[in-house]
Amino acid sequence: MINAGKYNKKITIVKIDEEFDKAGFKVPPVETVILNTWASVKTTKGYTLIQNNSDFEKAYTNFTIRFPNVEITRDMFVKYAEKIYSIEYLNNIDEKGIELEIQAKVVKK
């Protein structure tokens, strides 16, 4: 039994498509919403990064959601707390089809 209260952060999963006009010039990217859902959010703590001698730029955020009815792929992005995250890794937790873990990192602009 999963406690529904653990999914307490609203996230949006989007696909961003770059398009070109008839002359072949880039037009502003088109953002398509794939899924609006609630998630459990867990960030990598600074102590863990220091202990593992990792670079702070490699800090990941884990989003855990209920297993969606739509396919989520690594070419999509997570929007959360006014930031955009690139999806690095997807994990169907325990291969049960109940929860999906999305490991992502902040996109730098």
Side-chain angles (χ1 to χ4, degrees):
M1 193 76 169
I2 297 172
N3 180 1
K6 85 177 204 174
Y7 306 112
N8 59 0
K9 308 290 189 223
K10 188 75 167 171
I11 67 169
T12 303
I13 298 175
V14 297
K15 184 171 179 89
I16 300 175
D17 294 317
E18 291 187 8
E19 295 187 0
F20 299 90
D21 63 12
K22 292 178 183 177
F25 294 102
K26 274 189 180 180
V27 294
V30 176
E31 185 177 289
T32 306
V33 175
I34 303 299
L35 181 67
N36 284 310
T37 190
W38 293 91
S40 168
V41 179
K42 189 175 185 182
T43 57
T44 306
K45 298 193 176 9
Y47 175 77
T48 304
L49 292 171
I50 293 169
Q51 186 178 20
N52 294 334
N53 200 20
S54 296
D55 189 358
F56 278 90
E57 291 183 4
K58 294 181 182 175
Y60 289 98
T61 301
N62 289 330
F63 299 94
T64 304
I65 63 173
R66 289 181 184 92
F67 202 82
N69 293 333
V70 297
E71 183 180 11
I72 297 173
T73 59
R74 292 183 56 211
D75 64 341
M76 297 177 185
F77 297 88
V78 176
K79 292 177 79 174
Y80 168 68
E82 299 181 17
K83 294 180 183 173
I84 297 176
Y85 297 80
S86 64
I87 297 175
E88 301 292 318
Y89 176 73
L90 296 163
N91 179 26
N92 178 359
I93 297 176
D94 296 330
E95 298 295 323
K96 291 183 179 179
I98 296 172
E99 290 183 301
L100 179 68
E101 178 185 31
I102 302 169
Q103 194 173 75
K105 65 180 179 179
V106 175
V107 174
K108 294 187 178 173
K109 291 190 174 189

